[in-house]
Amino acid sequence: MGDVLLALSIPVLVFGGGIYAACDCWWRRRHPAPPSPYTHRAARLAEQDMLLLAEEILDDAYAALGPLYDAPAASSAPGPAGPPAALSSRSPRPSRPASRPASTPDRAPSPPAAVRKP
């Protein structure tokens, strides 16, 4: 008799575990847990820390490289008013008439590409 009870207890335990899992799933779907305020607060704090770190990095970079981007000093010698000599020696481009479009005016549209078969 002891062997029969042991053999029958296994299916009873499996069936009982299935019933418990189904009821637990149903209960959790009907009564969801509220969102934890700690996770939202932790995300906000992490975002603030990240923004402060990024601001510090930008401030350090500007302090190191800012003089490169500042306007030239007034004490530097003024250059010629025109373009550099290398550019001014070339002949100026003729202006296009208003009747021609700006894109490739001398060519016809190219033919479509051939279709490749795999």
Side-chain angles (χ1 to χ4, degrees):
M1 179 86 178
D3 292 337
V4 173
L5 287 177
L6 182 63
L8 291 177
S9 67
I10 293 172
V12 168
L13 286 174
V14 169
F15 184 73
I19 295 289
Y20 175 79
C23 291
D24 186 48
C25 180
W26 175 84
W27 179 261
R28 288 184 187 269
R29 285 187 182 201
R30 297 286 187 228
H31 305 90
S36 175
Y38 298 110
T39 57
H40 295 291
R41 182 171 183 230
R44 280 196 311 267
L45 290 175
E47 182 182 6
Q48 288 175 355
D49 288 342
M50 183 178 57
L51 288 175
L52 289 174
L53 180 63
E55 184 177 333
E56 182 180 329
I57 290 171
L58 286 175
D59 289 342
D60 290 344
Y62 184 75
L65 302 175
L68 296 175
Y69 295 106
D70 289 340
S75 64
S76 65
L87 295 178
S88 62
S89 64
R90 295 189 317 182
S91 62
R93 288 177 50 189
S95 62
R96 294 185 185 186
S99 63
R100 297 175 87 187
S103 65
T104 61
D106 298 339
R107 296 186 202 166
S110 62
V115 178
R116 295 184 182 180
K117 294 183 181 177

